Amino acid sequence: KKMVSSVATAGFVMTLTWSLSAAFIPNIQTGQNFMRSAVYTLSSNKGRVHSTGSSTRSHQLVVPHMVTPTSEPIQVIKEGDPKIPALDAKLSLCKFWSCPPTQLTMYMDEPETFQLAQGRVAISPVTIQGKPLGEAVEVNAGEYGIVPAGAYRWEIIKPSTKLTDCSEGLQMTTKGWQQESPFKDLRGKGTLSTKGRDAQDDLGYLETLVAEKGAPPRDSWESAIQYKLDRDPFLANLAFVVTNNGILIQDRISETTLKVLTEQGLAAYEPGRIDYVETEASARWRTDGSFQRNPLFRD
């Protein structure tokens, strides 16, 4: 009886195994490995593939690169557009993401709405294989973008921060985007990556800073450099030289003077008309890292 039972069990297992194997035999001519009786279609739920047809069992396979192309254009909403209040409400609970200059391709099965808080990007539709399908659309700081579902190549022209409803956090992280901390979110703008910035980028940041906060008075020039300007990561490409007629704003690498910061604000550098004589304390700061003379040493 035990022998007969074992033989019957083995036969059932072999039959079951053969049946399952036959159901999934690959079609060598077409390269398909799916069940013959199933028709696989892409759902709109996060790139999952569901089986339909004679089989009543539903299979869910995550296929992130299988997205449905769309003919809808990328929308750019600029300041003053009546759609902005509704977009602000939609993005009110979203997070900030930042990315340095790079090129990346995103595969989305749902539209993305975002506001570019900082930077500049260009977005163009592509095929799944990465072939261009149309012209790039540029989005600048302060503007909103609506990107339909599909595959898109992002060119991050300047270090950028966006407030976005994109739910593909893992894909964004693997492509170079980094989510800002909650503290940075509370500040309202997130932050910028300093990768890829140059002296002109930092000068633009300084111009905005001076326009919003005002220029420091003459008796605070040294303090402004020591406690703010030289510590700000978005001014790392600039050097500061205190003179009798203002603070020279220089490219830290080439030492080329770009602008002059006076009590009235930023002004053009005019060495032929104005004499700029560096102070002794400024020379000490650039060599020793301190405006104050060390009492332990005598000149």
Side-chain angles (χ1 to χ4, degrees), residues 223-261:
S223 297
I225 294 174
Q226 185 171 1
Y227 297 109
K228 171 57 182 176
L229 301 180
D230 205 61
R231 292 189 176 188
D232 194 316
F234 306 120
L235 298 175
N237 293 297
L238 300 179
F240 307 96
V241 179
V242 180
T243 72
N244 58 325
N245 284 307
I247 302 174
L248 303 186
I249 312 299
Q250 296 183 338
D251 183 320
R252 189 179 293 271
I253 303 300
S254 66
E255 297 186 351
T256 302
T257 301
L258 307 174
K259 290 278 187 176
V260 181
L261 180 59

Side-chain angles (χ1 to χ4, degrees), residues 183-220:
F183 176 74
K184 296 292 180 57
D185 282 347
L186 291 174
R187 295 176 58 185
K189 287 189 176 180
T191 187
L192 288 170
S193 169
T194 57
K195 297 178 181 178
R197 292 177 64 89
D198 56 25
Q200 289 298 328
D201 295 325
D202 290 7
L203 181 61
Y205 173 85
L206 179 61
E207 290 172 343
T208 302
L209 188 66
V210 172
E212 293 178 351
K213 305 294 184 181
R218 176 182 291 269
D219 58 1
S220 299

Side-chain angles (χ1 to χ4, degrees), residues 19-270:
S19 300
L20 292 174
S21 301
F24 287 94
I25 292 176
N27 187 325
I28 299 177
Q29 294 180 349
T30 63
Q32 299 295 328
N33 293 327
F34 298 125
M35 294 177 62
R36 296 191 186 98
S37 61
V39 179
Y40 284 78
T41 57
L42 178 66
S43 78
S44 60
N45 182 21
K46 295 300 175 190
R48 299 185 188 279
V49 174
H50 299 271
S51 65
T52 59
S54 61
S55 174
T56 59
R57 182 178 179 182
S58 176
H59 302 272
Q60 293 188 351
L61 304 175
V62 179
V63 186
H65 290 182
M66 290 183 63
V67 295
T68 304
T70 178
S71 58
E72 297 179 26
I74 302 169
Q75 300 181 49
V76 179
I77 294 89
K78 300 180 182 293
E79 183 179 359
D81 194 293
K83 298 178 183 177
I84 289 181
L87 295 176
D88 286 337
K90 183 176 182 180
L91 297 173
S92 61
L93 299 179
C94 296
K95 300 295 185 181
F96 286 97
W97 291 74
S98 294
C99 187
T102 186
Q103 280 193 351
L104 55 96
T105 303
M106 294 292 295
Y107 302 92
M108 310 296 297
D109 57 5
E110 291 182 355
E112 177 187 2
T113 301
F114 69 93
Q115 180 190 18
L116 196 66
Q118 304 280 356
R120 180 155 56 101
V121 302
I123 311 169
S124 56
V126 296
T127 65
I128 302 300
Q129 293 76 24
K131 296 181 180 179
L133 289 176
E135 296 294 327
V137 175
E138 193 168 292
V139 184
N140 294 293
E143 298 176 345
Y144 296 75
I146 300 177
V147 183
Y152 294 90
R153 177 165 296 125
W154 287 65
E155 181 182 359
I156 314 299
I157 302 172
K158 294 291 184 181
S160 299
T161 298
K162 66 177 179 177
L163 181 65
T164 177
D165 68 351
C166 177
S167 57
E168 295 289 346
L170 179 59
Q171 186 181 168
M172 285 205 297
T173 300
T174 58
K175 297 297 176 63
W177 289 96
Q178 181 179 0
Q179 184 176 340
E180 298 293 349
S181 66
F183 176 74
K184 296 292 180 57
D185 282 347
L186 291 174
R187 295 176 58 185
K189 287 189 176 180
T191 187
L192 288 170
S193 169
T194 57
K195 297 178 181 178
R197 292 177 64 89
D198 56 25
Q200 289 298 328
D201 295 325
D202 290 7
L203 181 61
Y205 173 85
L206 179 61
E207 290 172 343
T208 302
L209 188 66
V210 172
E212 293 178 351
K213 305 294 184 181
R218 176 182 291 269
D219 58 1
S220 299
W221 285 352
E222 294 178 0
S223 297
I225 294 174
Q226 185 171 1
Y227 297 109
K228 171 57 182 176
L229 301 180
D230 205 61
R231 292 189 176 188
D232 194 316
F234 306 120
L235 298 175
N237 293 297
L238 300 179
F240 307 96
V241 179
V242 180
T243 72
N244 58 325
N245 284 307
I247 302 174
L248 303 186
I249 312 299
Q250 296 183 338
D251 183 320
R252 189 179 293 271
I253 303 300
S254 66
E255 297 186 351
T256 302
T257 301
L258 307 174
K259 290 278 187 176
V260 181
L261 180 59
T262 68
E263 292 182 298
Q264 288 72 40
L266 286 167
Y269 176 57
E270 300 177 293

